[in-house]
Amino acid sequence: MVSASANGHNALLVSVVLLATLCVCTATSPYAAGLSEDFYHTSCPQAASIVDAYVTKFLKKDRNFAGAFNRLQFHDCWVGGCDGSVLLNSTETNQAEREAHVNFGLRGVAEIDEIKAGLEDFCPGVVSCADILILAARDATAKVGGPTWSVALGRRDGVNSTALMADTNLPFPVLNFSGLVANFAAKGFGAREMITLSGAHTIGRSHCNGILPHLYNFTGRDDATDTDPAMNKNFSVFLKKLCPQGNRTNTIFIDSTANTFDRAYYKNVLQGKGIFITDSTLITNPVGKKVVTTFSKPRSSFFTEFAAGMVKMGNLGVLTGTEGEIRKTCQFVNE
């Protein structure tokens, strides 16, 4: 006859085994359902290396394209999900996302289409434009000194793209801290993740269009003296030379080391040298200022958290399975 203590011991062992099994079974994947790192392993095993080669080619020509590819991922995923809709052209009856006010000066679309053409030569009708965007952003970031991260693939391309959706979903460069927090919260991201992903401004450039409100219309007066008072005075003089009042089309690097992914962005923000209102506003909140200060220091977790944020962003609203399509060219839906 088994003793009561033995029964109790056996019951405890069973509970431990069940708990361990439950933990394994309920472990969450960092990727959206339908995506996997080996998605093209059989259908197009050279897909990632082809994208990587093209990204290397573009960065040799203009290293600043790293910022363009990062921006494309954000501007695609934030509007209806990561479905390549930001790449679509307008039609006679529809203004596409690229025509939105918030997408003024968007770069890299032709380059993504060039990558797509290269992939079509090897694997016609297999690799989506949505996946190309995700790969290009990752590869470009790593090639200019930033982190790398694992990429899950299997997204399909959307067929809808409207300027209104872009202007409704993407954050305008005049938002204050609470506005940014609300915008990111709507996509499932916290304040710290918002500050982390703002670090993408460590690479790239911008037209003056998004900078003018910071220099000439900070309080709504719309005159030459209506500059953010928190902006470094010498820096504001410098910016006004590059972006005269009313000039929307001049371009400016958005970071002091704009061709290198590093922590200089956060140092600049702390020094009153944020280009956009959305940069400077990060330190108007005590929590925000603490995170910015932390990320500005060597050996901070910025790179690790940025990589995690890009993976999470890449899960937004993905189309998989038989949803959407695999476009033949990225700027047009299939006939």
Side-chain angles (χ1 to χ4, degrees):
M1 183 175 180
V2 180
S3 68
S5 61
N7 280 331
H9 178 70
N10 290 338
L12 178 60
L13 285 175
V14 171
S15 297
V16 169
V17 171
L18 286 174
L19 180 60
T21 303
L22 181 63
C23 290
V24 171
C25 292
T26 59
T28 56
S29 166
Y31 307 130
L35 303 183
S36 66
E37 293 180 30
D38 61 353
F39 186 83
Y40 297 117
H41 179 70
T42 301
S43 59
C44 191
Q46 63 272 64
S49 61
I50 290 173
V51 174
D52 183 81
Y54 274 97
V55 171
T56 298
K57 169 189 168 182
F58 298 138
L59 294 184
K60 282 184 177 178
K61 181 180 179 181
D62 181 358
R63 190 174 168 90
N64 202 247
F65 258 114
F69 290 136
N70 256 270
R71 187 185 182 200
L72 276 176
Q73 175 175 332
F74 177 58
H75 283 233
D76 184 43
C77 294
W78 226 245
V79 184
C82 309
D83 62 353
S85 57
V86 72
L87 302 170
L88 288 171
N89 285 345
S90 295
T91 66
E92 291 182 1
T93 58
N94 178 65
Q95 265 202 331
E97 291 172 33
R98 280 161 53 196
E99 305 301 322
H101 296 294
V102 75
N103 278 331
F104 185 84
L106 200 67
R107 296 186 298 148
V109 174
E111 286 70 22
I112 295 296
D113 237 350
E114 189 174 335
I115 299 173
K116 173 63 172 174
L119 284 163
E120 287 295 296
D121 288 341
F122 284 89
C123 317
V126 174
V127 182
S128 69
C129 300
D131 276 346
I132 295 172
L133 278 181
I134 300 293
L135 285 166
R138 187 273 307 272
D139 294 347
T141 300
K143 290 177 187 298
V144 295
T148 189
W149 53 90
S150 298
V151 168
L153 303 167
R155 297 166 191 80
R156 289 172 65 85
D157 298 319
V159 297
N160 298 310
S161 178
T162 68
L164 179 61
M165 281 290 289
D167 281 333
T168 301
N169 284 273
L170 286 163
F172 275 80
V174 297
L175 289 181
N176 60 19
F177 189 85
S178 60
L180 283 173
V181 169
N183 180 275
F184 274 70
K187 306 297 180 185
F189 289 73
R192 186 182 180 96
E193 291 172 311
M194 176 271 289
I195 297 166
T196 302
L197 290 172
S198 294
H201 287 176
T202 189
I203 48 175
R205 70 189 192 203
S206 171
H207 286 84
C208 290
N209 181 59
I211 302 167
L212 295 179
H214 207 187
L215 297 173
Y216 306 108
N217 199 27
F218 186 69
T219 65
R221 292 201 317 269
D222 195 20
D223 64 47
T225 63
D226 195 11
T227 306
D228 180 359
M231 183 181 287
N232 178 285
K233 296 297 186 292
N234 291 333
F235 188 62
S236 68
V237 171
F238 167 74
L239 285 183
K240 287 179 179 180
K241 290 179 180 178
L242 297 174
C243 294
Q245 190 171 10
N247 187 314
R248 301 172 66 239
T249 56
N250 282 1
T251 58
I252 182 173
F253 290 135
I254 56 177
D255 178 86
S256 58
T257 57
N259 290 332
T260 301
F261 193 102
D262 55 22
R263 297 174 177 81
Y265 166 75
Y266 295 106
K267 295 177 184 178
N268 292 339
V269 169
L270 289 170
Q271 295 168 0
K273 297 179 180 179
I275 294 291
F276 304 112
I277 291 175
T278 47
D279 297 326
S280 297
T281 197
L282 297 181
I283 58 173
T284 61
N285 175 280
V287 174
K289 187 171 185 178
K290 182 177 180 181
V291 175
V292 170
T293 301
T294 298
F295 283 167
S296 71
K297 297 176 181 178
R299 294 178 295 280
S300 75
S301 59
F302 166 51
F303 275 33
T304 301
E305 293 187 49
F306 184 85
M310 292 295 280
V311 171
K312 181 175 177 179
M313 188 198 307
N315 291 330
L316 291 175
V318 297
L319 302 175
T320 59
T322 58
E323 299 173 304
E325 64 182 18
I326 304 297
R327 284 185 219 138
K328 297 176 182 177
T329 59
C330 292
Q331 297 184 55
F332 301 93
V333 297
N334 296 339
E335 294 181 358

